[in-house]
Amino acid sequence: MNVTIRKIGNSEGVIIPKEILDRLGLKTGDSLELQMENGGINLRPAEEDLSRQLEVARHFMNKHKVALKKLAE
């Protein structure tokens, strides 16, 4: 299936056909993981557990950045 890169605001993007979204069980607002592989782009549904873990880790690191900086010395 071919899609065209389109201007979307100040960025560019592609429109994912509804048929593909339906097959993957995706909807507006869902997150995708983007990886470059073998000269191409691979998109897959993001693992929500990982997203949540990263969010918690960022919050922890921001809250304790002074202590983490001292430990890194």
Side-chain angles (χ1 to χ4, degrees), residues 18-37:
K18 183 167 176 21
E19 172 187 325
I20 301 297
L21 294 174
D22 288 346
R23 275 195 217 165
L24 295 172
L26 296 171
K27 62 187 180 315
T28 301
D30 287 349
S31 296
L32 296 174
E33 178 183 326
L34 184 144
Q35 293 180 341
M36 289 182 56
E37 293 180 358

Side-chain angles (χ1 to χ4, degrees), residues 3-4 8 11 13-16 26 30 33-35 38 41 46 53-54 56 58:
V3 294
T4 302
I8 302 174
S11 301
V14 295
I15 304 299
I16 302 171
L26 296 171
D30 287 349
E33 178 183 326
L34 184 144
Q35 293 180 341
N38 302 320
I41 298 171
Q53 289 171 3
L54 290 173
V56 170
R58 281 189 200 101

